[in-house]
Amino acid sequence: MAAFSLFKLSLLLGLLSNLGIWPETHVGIVPPTCSRIECPSYDVIYAGDDYEIRRYNESVWMSTSSIEDISLVGATRNGFLQLFNYIQGKNMYEEKIEMTAPVISQVSPSDGPVCASSFVVSFYVPKKNQANPPPAEGLHVHKWGTTYTAVRKFSGFVMDSSVGEETAALYDSISGTLWETAVDKSHAGETATTYTVAQYNSPFEFENRVNEIWLTFTMEDEFTS
Ligand SMILES: *[C@@H]1O[C@H](CO)[C@@H](O)[C@H](O)[C@H]1NC(C)=O
Protein backbone atom coordinates (compact mmCIF):
# COMPACT_ATOMS: atom_id res chain seq x y z
CA MET A 1 0.00 0.00 0.00
CA ALA A 2 2.71 2.44 1.05
CA ALA A 3 4.86 1.36 -1.88
CA PHE A 4 2.01 1.95 -4.29
CA SER A 5 1.34 5.44 -2.92
CA LEU A 6 4.99 6.27 -3.11
CA PHE A 7 5.12 5.13 -6.68
CA LYS A 8 2.18 7.41 -7.48
CA LEU A 9 3.94 10.30 -5.76
CA SER A 10 7.11 9.72 -7.69
CA LEU A 11 5.13 9.50 -10.91
CA LEU A 12 3.43 12.78 -10.10
CA LEU A 13 6.70 14.51 -9.28
CA GLY A 14 8.20 13.15 -12.48
CA LEU A 15 5.32 14.39 -14.58
CA LEU A 16 5.24 17.81 -12.97
CA SER A 17 8.95 18.23 -13.45
CA ASN A 18 8.86 17.10 -17.07
CA LEU A 19 5.97 19.33 -17.96
CA GLY A 20 7.55 22.29 -16.22
CA ILE A 21 4.37 23.04 -14.27
CA TRP A 22 5.75 23.32 -10.79
CA PRO A 23 3.56 25.63 -8.73
CA GLU A 24 4.61 29.23 -9.21
CA THR A 25 3.77 30.33 -5.69
CA HIS A 26 6.86 30.18 -3.57
CA VAL A 27 5.01 30.39 -0.30
CA GLY A 28 8.12 30.05 1.80
CA ILE A 29 10.28 33.13 1.68
CA VAL A 30 13.85 32.48 0.63
CA PRO A 31 16.16 33.21 3.59
CA PRO A 32 17.41 36.84 3.34
CA THR A 33 21.02 35.67 3.61
CA CYS A 34 20.61 34.19 0.13
CA SER A 35 20.31 37.65 -1.40
CA ARG A 36 23.83 38.42 -0.14
CA ILE A 37 25.69 35.14 -0.55
CA GLU A 38 25.25 32.06 -2.70
CA CYS A 39 22.80 29.39 -1.56
CA PRO A 40 21.87 26.20 -3.36
CA SER A 41 18.81 26.96 -5.45
CA TYR A 42 15.70 24.85 -5.11
CA ASP A 43 12.13 24.56 -6.29
CA VAL A 44 9.25 24.55 -3.83
CA ILE A 45 7.10 21.68 -5.00
CA TYR A 46 4.53 21.78 -2.22
CA ALA A 47 3.66 24.31 0.46
CA GLY A 48 1.86 23.16 3.59
CA ASP A 49 0.63 25.39 6.42
CA ASP A 50 3.86 25.28 8.36
CA TYR A 51 6.24 23.35 6.16
CA GLU A 52 7.29 23.13 2.56
CA ILE A 53 8.69 20.45 0.31
CA ARG A 54 11.70 21.49 -1.73
CA ARG A 55 13.56 19.87 -4.52
CA TYR A 56 17.28 20.53 -4.77
CA ASN A 57 18.92 19.58 -8.03
CA GLU A 58 22.45 18.18 -7.86
CA SER A 59 24.57 19.99 -5.27
CA VAL A 60 28.07 19.66 -3.90
CA TRP A 61 28.94 19.89 -0.21
CA MET A 62 32.21 19.86 1.72
CA SER A 63 31.70 17.85 4.89
CA THR A 64 33.53 17.10 8.09
CA SER A 65 34.11 13.57 9.29
CA SER A 66 31.55 12.30 11.72
CA ILE A 67 31.73 14.20 15.04
CA GLU A 68 30.57 12.45 18.19
CA ASP A 69 29.06 14.86 20.68
CA ILE A 70 26.19 15.15 23.09
CA SER A 71 25.51 18.68 21.80
CA LEU A 72 24.45 19.78 18.32
CA VAL A 73 25.60 23.30 19.13
CA GLY A 74 29.04 22.05 20.20
CA ALA A 75 29.44 19.74 17.20
CA THR A 76 28.33 22.46 14.79
CA ARG A 77 30.82 24.95 16.26
CA ASN A 78 33.60 22.39 15.92
CA GLY A 79 32.61 21.52 12.35
CA PHE A 80 32.07 25.13 11.34
CA LEU A 81 35.60 26.05 12.46
CA GLN A 82 37.07 23.35 10.21
CA LEU A 83 34.98 24.57 7.28
CA PHE A 84 35.77 28.21 8.00
CA ASN A 85 39.51 27.44 7.91
CA TYR A 86 38.93 25.58 4.67
CA ILE A 87 37.34 28.55 2.92
CA GLN A 88 40.00 30.87 4.32
CA GLY A 89 42.56 28.89 2.32
CA LYS A 90 43.52 26.04 4.63
CA ASN A 91 43.23 23.50 1.81
CA MET A 92 45.59 21.76 -0.59
CA TYR A 93 45.31 24.51 -3.25
CA GLU A 94 45.58 27.28 -0.65
CA GLU A 95 42.53 28.68 -2.38
CA LYS A 96 40.07 31.08 -0.75
CA ILE A 97 36.46 30.21 -1.29
CA GLU A 98 33.42 32.45 -0.97
CA MET A 99 31.17 31.91 2.03
CA THR A 100 27.81 30.34 1.24
CA ALA A 101 24.70 29.40 3.19
CA PRO A 102 23.38 27.35 4.76
CA VAL A 103 25.81 25.42 6.92
CA ILE A 104 24.07 22.15 7.65
CA SER A 105 24.47 19.68 10.49
CA GLN A 106 23.25 16.17 9.75
CA VAL A 107 22.28 14.51 12.98
CA SER A 108 22.25 10.75 13.47
CA PRO A 109 20.62 10.46 16.88
CA SER A 110 21.95 7.79 19.20
CA ASP A 111 19.51 5.02 19.93
CA GLY A 112 20.26 5.13 23.66
CA PRO A 113 19.17 7.97 25.94
CA VAL A 114 22.63 9.07 27.10
CA CYS A 115 24.98 8.22 24.25
CA ALA A 116 26.47 10.91 22.03
CA SER A 117 24.86 11.46 18.64
CA SER A 118 26.99 11.76 15.54
CA PHE A 119 27.05 14.90 13.45
CA VAL A 120 28.37 15.73 10.02
CA VAL A 121 28.69 19.46 9.35
CA SER A 122 28.73 20.62 5.73
CA PHE A 123 29.29 23.74 3.68
CA TYR A 124 27.61 24.26 0.30
CA VAL A 125 30.35 24.53 -2.33
CA PRO A 126 29.83 27.55 -4.61
CA LYS A 127 28.97 26.66 -8.23
CA LYS A 128 32.30 28.10 -9.34
CA ASN A 129 34.23 25.54 -7.24
CA GLN A 130 31.97 22.53 -7.70
CA ALA A 131 33.92 20.96 -10.56
CA ASN A 132 37.11 20.92 -8.53
CA PRO A 133 36.72 21.68 -4.82
CA PRO A 134 40.15 21.90 -3.16
CA PRO A 135 40.80 18.78 -1.08
CA ALA A 136 41.64 19.21 2.58
CA GLU A 137 42.64 16.87 5.34
CA GLY A 138 39.69 15.67 7.38
CA LEU A 139 37.09 17.01 4.93
CA HIS A 140 35.14 15.09 2.32
CA VAL A 141 33.31 16.11 -0.85
CA HIS A 142 29.71 14.93 -0.95
CA LYS A 143 27.87 15.11 -4.25
CA TRP A 144 24.14 15.04 -3.78
CA GLY A 145 21.86 13.85 -6.51
CA THR A 146 18.39 15.35 -6.76
CA THR A 147 17.24 15.58 -3.15
CA TYR A 148 13.85 16.41 -1.74
CA THR A 149 13.38 17.79 1.70
CA ALA A 150 10.53 18.62 4.03
CA VAL A 151 11.43 21.95 5.66
CA ARG A 152 10.34 23.69 8.84
CA LYS A 153 11.69 27.17 9.55
CA PHE A 154 12.44 28.62 12.95
CA SER A 155 14.28 31.71 14.11
CA GLY A 156 16.69 32.74 16.82
CA PHE A 157 19.84 30.94 17.88
CA VAL A 158 19.77 27.18 17.49
CA MET A 159 19.75 25.56 20.91
CA ASP A 160 20.08 21.93 21.82
CA SER A 161 16.81 22.21 23.71
CA SER A 162 14.80 23.52 20.74
CA VAL A 163 16.03 21.27 17.93
CA GLY A 164 14.23 18.17 19.19
CA GLU A 165 10.94 20.07 19.48
CA GLU A 166 11.24 21.62 16.02
CA THR A 167 12.02 18.24 14.50
CA ALA A 168 9.08 16.63 16.28
CA ALA A 169 6.84 19.44 15.03
CA LEU A 170 7.94 18.84 11.45
CA TYR A 171 7.17 15.14 11.86
CA ASP A 172 3.73 16.08 13.16
CA SER A 173 3.13 18.35 10.18
CA ILE A 174 3.90 15.68 7.60
CA SER A 175 2.29 12.89 9.60
CA GLY A 176 -0.11 10.84 7.47
CA THR A 177 1.01 12.44 4.21
CA LEU A 178 2.87 10.83 1.36
CA TRP A 179 5.87 12.94 2.34
CA GLU A 180 6.09 11.01 5.58
CA THR A 181 6.06 7.74 3.66
CA ALA A 182 8.80 9.04 1.39
CA VAL A 183 10.96 10.18 4.34
CA ASP A 184 10.48 6.88 6.15
CA LYS A 185 11.36 4.90 3.05
CA SER A 186 14.52 6.90 2.42
CA HIS A 187 15.64 6.44 6.02
CA ALA A 188 14.66 2.78 6.42
CA GLY A 189 17.40 0.93 8.23
CA GLU A 190 18.42 3.83 10.45
CA THR A 191 17.79 3.16 14.14
CA ALA A 192 16.63 6.75 14.56
CA THR A 193 15.89 8.95 11.56
CA THR A 194 18.71 11.23 10.51
CA TYR A 195 17.62 14.85 10.29
CA THR A 196 19.38 18.02 9.27
CA VAL A 197 19.64 21.44 10.88
CA ALA A 198 20.37 24.22 8.36
CA GLN A 199 21.66 27.58 9.63
CA TYR A 200 21.82 30.69 7.46
CA ASN A 201 23.48 33.26 9.71
CA SER A 202 26.91 33.77 11.22
CA PRO A 203 27.14 33.78 15.03
CA PHE A 204 27.57 37.57 14.84
CA GLU A 205 24.13 38.28 13.45
CA PHE A 206 21.57 38.71 16.19
CA GLU A 207 18.45 39.63 14.28
CA ASN A 208 16.32 37.90 11.67
CA ARG A 209 18.12 34.64 12.11
CA VAL A 210 16.79 31.86 9.92
CA ASN A 211 17.19 28.18 10.66
CA GLU A 212 15.50 25.13 9.24
CA ILE A 213 14.94 21.49 10.05
CA TRP A 214 15.18 19.25 7.01
CA LEU A 215 13.88 15.72 6.63
CA THR A 216 15.40 14.64 3.34
CA PHE A 217 14.26 11.99 0.93
CA THR A 218 15.08 10.81 -2.56
CA MET A 219 12.86 9.51 -5.30
CA GLU A 220 14.69 6.57 -6.80
CA ASP A 221 11.88 5.68 -9.16
CA GLU A 222 11.42 9.23 -10.37
CA PHE A 223 10.83 9.45 -14.10
CA THR A 224 13.74 11.35 -15.50
CA SER A 225 13.38 10.73 -19.23
C1 LIG B 1 16.11 21.77 -11.52
O1 LIG B 1 16.07 20.94 -12.66
C2 LIG B 1 14.85 21.03 -13.39
C3 LIG B 1 14.89 20.00 -14.50
O2 LIG B 1 16.06 20.11 -15.25
C4 LIG B 1 14.67 22.46 -13.91
O3 LIG B 1 13.45 22.58 -14.60
C5 LIG B 1 14.67 23.41 -12.70
O4 LIG B 1 14.58 24.74 -13.13
C6 LIG B 1 15.92 23.23 -11.86
N1 LIG B 1 15.75 24.00 -10.65
C7 LIG B 1 16.64 24.85 -10.20
C8 LIG B 1 16.28 25.55 -8.95
O5 LIG B 1 17.71 25.06 -10.74
mmCIF file of all heavy atoms in Angstrom, residues 183-211:
data_model
loop_
_atom_site.group_PDB
_atom_site.id
_atom_site.type_symbol
_atom_site.label_atom_id
_atom_site.label_comp_id
_atom_site.label_asym_id
_atom_site.label_seq_id
_atom_site.Cartn_x
_atom_site.Cartn_y
_atom_site.Cartn_z
ATOM 1 N N VAL A 183 9.858 9.991 3.376
ATOM 2 C CA VAL A 183 10.956 10.184 4.339
ATOM 3 C C VAL A 183 11.283 8.847 5.005
ATOM 4 O O VAL A 183 12.440 8.433 5.064
ATOM 5 C CB VAL A 183 10.585 11.250 5.401
ATOM 6 C CG1 VAL A 183 11.575 11.238 6.563
ATOM 7 C CG2 VAL A 183 10.521 12.645 4.768
ATOM 8 N N ASP A 184 10.253 8.155 5.471
ATOM 9 C CA ASP A 184 10.484 6.877 6.153
ATOM 10 C C ASP A 184 11.182 5.877 5.238
ATOM 11 O O ASP A 184 12.084 5.166 5.658
ATOM 12 C CB ASP A 184 9.159 6.279 6.654
ATOM 13 C CG ASP A 184 8.628 7.047 7.858
ATOM 14 O OD1 ASP A 184 9.391 7.870 8.420
ATOM 15 O OD2 ASP A 184 7.456 6.834 8.222
ATOM 16 N N LYS A 185 10.752 5.854 3.988
ATOM 17 C CA LYS A 185 11.356 4.903 3.053
ATOM 18 C C LYS A 185 12.828 5.225 2.833
ATOM 19 O O LYS A 185 13.682 4.340 2.828
ATOM 20 C CB LYS A 185 10.594 4.920 1.725
ATOM 21 C CG LYS A 185 11.041 3.799 0.814
ATOM 22 C CD LYS A 185 10.441 3.916 -0.582
ATOM 23 C CE LYS A 185 11.106 2.903 -1.498
ATOM 24 N NZ LYS A 185 11.072 3.340 -2.907
ATOM 25 N N SER A 186 13.135 6.508 2.671
ATOM 26 C CA SER A 186 14.522 6.902 2.422
ATOM 27 C C SER A 186 15.419 6.630 3.620
ATOM 28 O O SER A 186 16.619 6.475 3.476
ATOM 29 C CB SER A 186 14.613 8.379 2.056
ATOM 30 O OG SER A 186 14.225 8.581 0.735
ATOM 31 N N HIS A 187 14.830 6.616 4.814
ATOM 32 C CA HIS A 187 15.636 6.441 6.024
ATOM 33 C C HIS A 187 15.449 5.060 6.648
ATOM 34 O O HIS A 187 15.834 4.845 7.796
ATOM 35 C CB HIS A 187 15.320 7.554 7.040
ATOM 36 C CG HIS A 187 15.740 8.908 6.555
ATOM 37 N ND1 HIS A 187 16.995 9.426 6.787
ATOM 38 C CD2 HIS A 187 15.087 9.837 5.821
ATOM 39 C CE1 HIS A 187 17.084 10.625 6.220
ATOM 40 N NE2 HIS A 187 15.944 10.892 5.629
ATOM 41 N N ALA A 188 14.845 4.141 5.891
ATOM 42 C CA ALA A 188 14.656 2.781 6.417
ATOM 43 C C ALA A 188 16.020 2.212 6.767
ATOM 44 O O ALA A 188 16.995 2.446 6.066
ATOM 45 C CB ALA A 188 13.953 1.915 5.378
ATOM 46 N N GLY A 189 16.120 1.516 7.859
ATOM 47 C CA GLY A 189 17.402 0.926 8.229
ATOM 48 C C GLY A 189 18.171 1.764 9.237
ATOM 49 O O GLY A 189 19.100 1.280 9.868
ATOM 50 N N GLU A 190 17.784 3.024 9.409
ATOM 51 C CA GLU A 190 18.418 3.835 10.450
ATOM 52 C C GLU A 190 17.695 3.556 11.763
ATOM 53 O O GLU A 190 16.474 3.457 11.783
ATOM 54 C CB GLU A 190 18.305 5.329 10.109
ATOM 55 C CG GLU A 190 19.073 5.695 8.845
ATOM 56 C CD GLU A 190 18.782 7.126 8.380
ATOM 57 O OE1 GLU A 190 18.053 7.861 9.079
ATOM 58 O OE2 GLU A 190 19.290 7.494 7.313
ATOM 59 N N THR A 191 18.448 3.449 12.859
ATOM 60 C CA THR A 191 17.791 3.158 14.136
ATOM 61 C C THR A 191 16.933 4.347 14.569
ATOM 62 O O THR A 191 15.855 4.181 15.116
ATOM 63 C CB THR A 191 18.819 2.828 15.237
ATOM 64 O OG1 THR A 191 19.937 3.688 15.096
ATOM 65 C CG2 THR A 191 19.264 1.384 15.149
ATOM 66 N N ALA A 192 17.443 5.548 14.325
ATOM 67 C CA ALA A 192 16.633 6.752 14.559
ATOM 68 C C ALA A 192 16.857 7.644 13.345
ATOM 69 O O ALA A 192 17.985 7.761 12.860
ATOM 70 C CB ALA A 192 17.075 7.456 15.834
ATOM 71 N N THR A 193 15.794 8.224 12.826
ATOM 72 C CA THR A 193 15.889 8.946 11.556
ATOM 73 C C THR A 193 16.875 10.112 11.612
ATOM 74 O O THR A 193 16.802 10.957 12.502
ATOM 75 C CB THR A 193 14.498 9.463 11.150
ATOM 76 O OG1 THR A 193 13.629 8.343 11.042
ATOM 77 C CG2 THR A 193 14.533 10.185 9.813
ATOM 78 N N THR A 194 17.773 10.118 10.656
ATOM 79 C CA THR A 194 18.711 11.225 10.510
ATOM 80 C C THR A 194 17.941 12.477 10.073
ATOM 81 O O THR A 194 17.100 12.397 9.186
ATOM 82 C CB THR A 194 19.750 10.868 9.419
ATOM 83 O OG1 THR A 194 20.428 9.695 9.831
ATOM 84 C CG2 THR A 194 20.749 11.996 9.223
ATOM 85 N N TYR A 195 18.213 13.589 10.725
ATOM 86 C CA TYR A 195 17.624 14.853 10.294
ATOM 87 C C TYR A 195 18.720 15.892 10.168
ATOM 88 O O TYR A 195 19.865 15.657 10.580
ATOM 89 C CB TYR A 195 16.514 15.303 11.257
ATOM 90 C CG TYR A 195 16.973 15.566 12.670
ATOM 91 C CD1 TYR A 195 17.390 16.849 13.061
ATOM 92 C CD2 TYR A 195 17.002 14.547 13.619
ATOM 93 C CE1 TYR A 195 17.825 17.090 14.360
ATOM 94 C CE2 TYR A 195 17.431 14.786 14.916
ATOM 95 C CZ TYR A 195 17.843 16.053 15.277
ATOM 96 O OH TYR A 195 18.276 16.288 16.554
ATOM 97 N N THR A 196 18.374 17.008 9.578
ATOM 98 C CA THR A 196 19.383 18.016 9.269
ATOM 99 C C THR A 196 18.953 19.362 9.815
ATOM 100 O O THR A 196 17.781 19.726 9.710
ATOM 101 C CB THR A 196 19.571 18.095 7.732
ATOM 102 O OG1 THR A 196 19.979 16.810 7.258
ATOM 103 C CG2 THR A 196 20.611 19.131 7.331
ATOM 104 N N VAL A 197 19.901 20.077 10.420
ATOM 105 C CA VAL A 197 19.645 21.443 10.877
ATOM 106 C C VAL A 197 20.428 22.371 9.960
ATOM 107 O O VAL A 197 21.649 22.232 9.827
ATOM 108 C CB VAL A 197 20.092 21.637 12.340
ATOM 109 C CG1 VAL A 197 19.779 23.054 12.812
ATOM 110 C CG2 VAL A 197 19.418 20.615 13.251
ATOM 111 N N ALA A 198 19.724 23.287 9.288
ATOM 112 C CA ALA A 198 20.365 24.224 8.360
ATOM 113 C C ALA A 198 20.376 25.612 8.998
ATOM 114 O O ALA A 198 19.344 26.070 9.490
ATOM 115 C CB ALA A 198 19.591 24.249 7.038
ATOM 116 N N GLN A 199 21.538 26.244 9.025
ATOM 117 C CA GLN A 199 21.662 27.579 9.631
ATOM 118 C C GLN A 199 22.183 28.561 8.583
ATOM 119 O O GLN A 199 23.147 28.273 7.890
ATOM 120 C CB GLN A 199 22.613 27.524 10.833
ATOM 121 C CG GLN A 199 22.128 26.527 11.885
ATOM 122 C CD GLN A 199 22.920 26.614 13.191
ATOM 123 O OE1 GLN A 199 23.045 27.672 13.798
ATOM 124 N NE2 GLN A 199 23.458 25.483 13.622
ATOM 125 N N TYR A 200 21.533 29.712 8.517
ATOM 126 C CA TYR A 200 21.824 30.687 7.459
ATOM 127 C C TYR A 200 22.601 31.905 7.929
ATOM 128 O O TYR A 200 22.922 32.769 7.118
ATOM 129 C CB TYR A 200 20.507 31.155 6.804
ATOM 130 C CG TYR A 200 19.869 30.092 5.941
ATOM 131 C CD1 TYR A 200 19.065 29.101 6.516
ATOM 132 C CD2 TYR A 200 20.089 30.047 4.561
ATOM 133 C CE1 TYR A 200 18.503 28.116 5.731
ATOM 134 C CE2 TYR A 200 19.518 29.069 3.772
ATOM 135 C CZ TYR A 200 18.728 28.105 4.357
ATOM 136 O OH TYR A 200 18.176 27.121 3.570
ATOM 137 N N ASN A 201 22.842 32.027 9.222
ATOM 138 C CA ASN A 201 23.475 33.259 9.714
ATOM 139 C C ASN A 201 24.751 32.963 10.480
ATOM 140 O O ASN A 201 24.869 31.918 11.111
ATOM 141 C CB ASN A 201 22.513 34.026 10.623
ATOM 142 C CG ASN A 201 21.228 34.365 9.921
ATOM 143 O OD1 ASN A 201 20.275 33.585 9.962
ATOM 144 N ND2 ASN A 201 21.205 35.480 9.233
ATOM 145 N N SER A 202 25.683 33.911 10.442
ATOM 146 C CA SER A 202 26.907 33.774 11.225
ATOM 147 C C SER A 202 26.547 34.016 12.693
ATOM 148 O O SER A 202 25.504 34.592 13.001
ATOM 149 C CB SER A 202 27.941 34.793 10.760
ATOM 150 O OG SER A 202 27.703 36.033 11.396
ATOM 151 N N PRO A 203 27.423 33.579 13.598
ATOM 152 C CA PRO A 203 27.139 33.782 15.030
ATOM 153 C C PRO A 203 27.076 35.260 15.418
ATOM 154 O O PRO A 203 26.641 35.589 16.511
ATOM 155 C CB PRO A 203 28.331 33.112 15.722
ATOM 156 C CG PRO A 203 28.984 32.255 14.696
ATOM 157 C CD PRO A 203 28.670 32.851 13.367
ATOM 158 N N PHE A 204 27.514 36.145 14.500
ATOM 159 C CA PHE A 204 27.572 37.570 14.841
ATOM 160 C C PHE A 204 26.317 38.321 14.438
ATOM 161 O O PHE A 204 26.193 39.513 14.666
ATOM 162 C CB PHE A 204 28.811 38.200 14.191
ATOM 163 C CG PHE A 204 30.029 37.360 14.408
ATOM 164 C CD1 PHE A 204 30.626 36.682 13.362
ATOM 165 C CD2 PHE A 204 30.549 37.190 15.693
ATOM 166 C CE1 PHE A 204 31.731 35.863 13.573
ATOM 167 C CE2 PHE A 204 31.653 36.377 15.912
ATOM 168 C CZ PHE A 204 32.242 35.716 14.850
ATOM 169 N N GLU A 205 25.399 37.640 13.806
ATOM 170 C CA GLU A 205 24.128 38.277 13.450
ATOM 171 C C GLU A 205 23.105 37.915 14.510
ATOM 172 O O GLU A 205 22.901 36.740 14.807
ATOM 173 C CB GLU A 205 23.673 37.788 12.076
ATOM 174 C CG GLU A 205 24.584 38.238 10.952
ATOM 175 C CD GLU A 205 24.252 37.539 9.637
ATOM 176 O OE1 GLU A 205 23.309 37.971 8.967
ATOM 177 O OE2 GLU A 205 24.929 36.563 9.309
ATOM 178 N N PHE A 206 22.475 38.933 15.061
ATOM 179 C CA PHE A 206 21.569 38.709 16.193
ATOM 180 C C PHE A 206 20.110 38.809 15.811
ATOM 181 O O PHE A 206 19.237 38.368 16.533
ATOM 182 C CB PHE A 206 21.890 39.674 17.333
ATOM 183 C CG PHE A 206 23.209 39.363 17.977
ATOM 184 C CD1 PHE A 206 24.376 39.926 17.497
ATOM 185 C CD2 PHE A 206 23.280 38.455 19.038
ATOM 186 C CE1 PHE A 206 25.599 39.605 18.079
ATOM 187 C CE2 PHE A 206 24.490 38.128 19.614
ATOM 188 C CZ PHE A 206 25.660 38.710 19.129
ATOM 189 N N GLU A 207 19.846 39.432 14.665
ATOM 190 C CA GLU A 207 18.445 39.631 14.277
ATOM 191 C C GLU A 207 18.117 38.853 13.007
ATOM 192 O O GLU A 207 19.003 38.561 12.210
ATOM 193 C CB GLU A 207 18.182 41.123 14.074
ATOM 194 C CG GLU A 207 18.174 41.827 15.408
ATOM 195 C CD GLU A 207 17.895 43.315 15.308
ATOM 196 O OE1 GLU A 207 17.861 43.833 14.183
ATOM 197 O OE2 GLU A 207 17.734 43.919 16.362
ATOM 198 N N ASN A 208 16.825 38.575 12.876
ATOM 199 C CA ASN A 208 16.321 37.905 11.674
ATOM 200 C C ASN A 208 17.079 36.624 11.340
ATOM 201 O O ASN A 208 17.350 36.351 10.177
ATOM 202 C CB ASN A 208 16.376 38.850 10.458
ATOM 203 C CG ASN A 208 15.637 40.132 10.729
ATOM 204 O OD1 ASN A 208 14.563 40.123 11.335
ATOM 205 N ND2 ASN A 208 16.208 41.250 10.319
ATOM 206 N N ARG A 209 17.413 35.894 12.356
ATOM 207 C CA ARG A 209 18.123 34.643 12.107
ATOM 208 C C ARG A 209 17.150 33.602 11.548
ATOM 209 O O ARG A 209 16.027 33.481 12.013
ATOM 210 C CB ARG A 209 18.764 34.122 13.394
ATOM 211 C CG ARG A 209 19.821 35.066 13.978
ATOM 212 C CD ARG A 209 20.463 34.461 15.204
ATOM 213 N NE ARG A 209 21.126 33.208 14.880
ATOM 214 C CZ ARG A 209 22.372 33.133 14.395
ATOM 215 N NH1 ARG A 209 23.083 34.222 14.208
ATOM 216 N NH2 ARG A 209 22.897 31.955 14.114
ATOM 217 N N VAL A 210 17.630 32.873 10.551
ATOM 218 C CA VAL A 210 16.794 31.863 9.915
ATOM 219 C C VAL A 210 17.467 30.501 10.040
ATOM 220 O O VAL A 210 18.640 30.340 9.697
ATOM 221 C CB VAL A 210 16.576 32.188 8.413
ATOM 222 C CG1 VAL A 210 15.791 31.071 7.732
ATOM 223 C CG2 VAL A 210 15.858 33.514 8.246
ATOM 224 N N ASN A 211 16.714 29.562 10.565
ATOM 225 C CA ASN A 211 17.187 28.177 10.658
ATOM 226 C C ASN A 211 16.085 27.272 10.127
ATOM 227 O O ASN A 211 14.913 27.661 10.103
ATOM 228 C CB ASN A 211 17.456 27.774 12.112
ATOM 229 C CG ASN A 211 18.122 28.869 12.892
ATOM 230 O OD1 ASN A 211 19.247 29.231 12.604
ATOM 231 N ND2 ASN A 211 17.422 29.425 13.887
#
